[in-house]
Amino acid sequence: MTNMIPPKKICCIGAGYVGGPTMAMIAAKCPDIRVDVVDLNEERIAAWNSDELPVYEPGLYDVVKEARGRNLFFSTDTEAAIVDADIIFVSVGTPTKTYGRGAGRAADLCYIEGAARMIAKVAKGPKIIVEKSTIPVRTAEAMRTILTANSSEGQFQVLSNPEFLAEGTAVEDLQCPDRILIGGERTPEGDAAVETLVNIYSQWIPRERILTTNLWSSELSKLVANAFLAQRISSINSISALCETTGADVDEVARAIGMDSRIGPKFLKSSVGFGGSCFQKDILNLVYLCEHFGLPQVASYWESVIQMNDWQKERFSGKIVNTLFNTVRNKRIAVWGFAFKKDTNDTRESAAIYVCRDLLLEGANIALYDPRVSQETIIADLKYVGVSQEMIDAQLTICDSCEDAALEAHGVAVLTEWDEFKEADYSRVLDGMHKPAFIFDGRNLLNHDTLRKIGFEVYAIGKG
Ligand code: NAD
Ligand code: UGA
């Protein structure tokens, strides 16, 4: 294994929100290495090869354009890419299991196993396998077992290299990460494999930011990082409810506590609830692991982070119904934003899905606008949480602007913090709405004093 430095070819299985941007950055920074990104999904690969990338991320197109066709290639030919590669990243999805043992909690590792079996089938000679996906601690062991049991010609070193990028800032995060984490087996072969990967990242990241650990610490650190980040949001959201009943202002409280350098200012923005593909799934996975290892107290401690988040979403839709005189039936509610945060087209676990579902079930007519999310995605997401096609046909309208959505509405709910909502023509919005005209700011994005001055009734998260 020690003769693998420097690698000439890298392959990545999975061209999603992580595989695509991560590999594009490696290809851009290491022009001498060929990088093949492969996926089973033909449509996704076609989009990576077009001008309309499947992932919306500021700055991503430029990074892709720099390397695509030079040393970065997107294709569906997984086997060919694996055969040639010195390093194979596995960046497939690890969603929460929806069936069988651990349903609703454990990570579904079927895509990881599928990738491992595919590698074992075609790999010849030494390969470094890199877990890029977020997986339960000790998955590397399972991967190694599958690889060695199914391959006669391959020799494998499995590394853990979790990804910490956040959507919407992926390029910035990849360009200048707080740290790169690489876990490997503590053997001479393992150390050599770790060093090979360190050499790649050190092409653009200072060596002192590249952390190497044992495999299990690396795997577990990823789940723990997400759990800690989500815990901060649930903590401040719990305080938002207390602020509303006491007259305190959650943003002022967050600022006051965040200036304590031991607490720090980040991830203290109170909101309608965190979303995204990972926080909930990774905490559920952590909860499952704790239960599995006989630690029910630890499991329930982390589960409460999810419970608080669910409550925050329900509390927000409940507030809309209560404020609109306890009924929203046949009332038009403008929903501004459907993505789980700004600057992404991703809607996975977005709080907006649940708020819209609750309002539709209460009989409201939803007029929805999001600058990046497609109508197909919105409808699919709502159906997934139990909204019927009849309800969608009768009660949901997708609009071309936030002002259009607000026309004839009784209330506006701001669910994603898109910058353009700050620039809306609020006098026009007010003129077009039923009175009293309510704004429910689920992101504390807008200037509430100004809105009140021009005549809106404003509800904001955590403002007494
Ligand atoms: P994704 O669903 O967008 O992409 C995964 C891709 O893998 C899909 O396109 C799928 O078709 C492909 N795939 C599955 N099995 C395959 C196979 N056998 N061969 C080829 N392709 C295959 O997922 P994502 O958001 O990119 O997340 C991937 C992993 O990274 C997850 O474990 C996630 O937890 C983790 N992660 C995600 C983020 C994020 O911001 N989305 C950040 C850090 C870590
Ligand atoms: C998160 C982590 O930040 C990344 O480090 C990690 O790699 C990634 O999960 C992952 O594993 O998938 P992401 O979900 O893309 O990244 O976005 P975040 O910026 O973390 O936001 C998550 C959710 O929390 C969003 O809905 C956001 O609006 C919400 N949020 C965030 C708040 O409500 N308040 C905050 O202060 C921060």
Side-chain angles (χ1 to χ4, degrees), residues 13 16-18 39-40 44 94 133-134 163 167 281 348:
I13 303 179
Y17 283 83
V18 168
D39 204 294
L40 302 170
R44 220 166 198 187
T94 47
S133 302
T134 304
E163 184 49 60
E167 289 179 31
K281 106 172 150 61
R348 290 177 286 181

Side-chain angles (χ1 to χ4, degrees), residues 341-359:
K341 63 188 280 198
K342 74 170 179 176
D343 289 340
T344 177
N345 59 347
D346 196 346
T347 59
R348 290 177 286 181
E349 286 303 327
S350 178
I353 301 172
Y354 299 93
V355 172
C356 287
R357 178 199 58 189
D358 292 353
L359 294 173

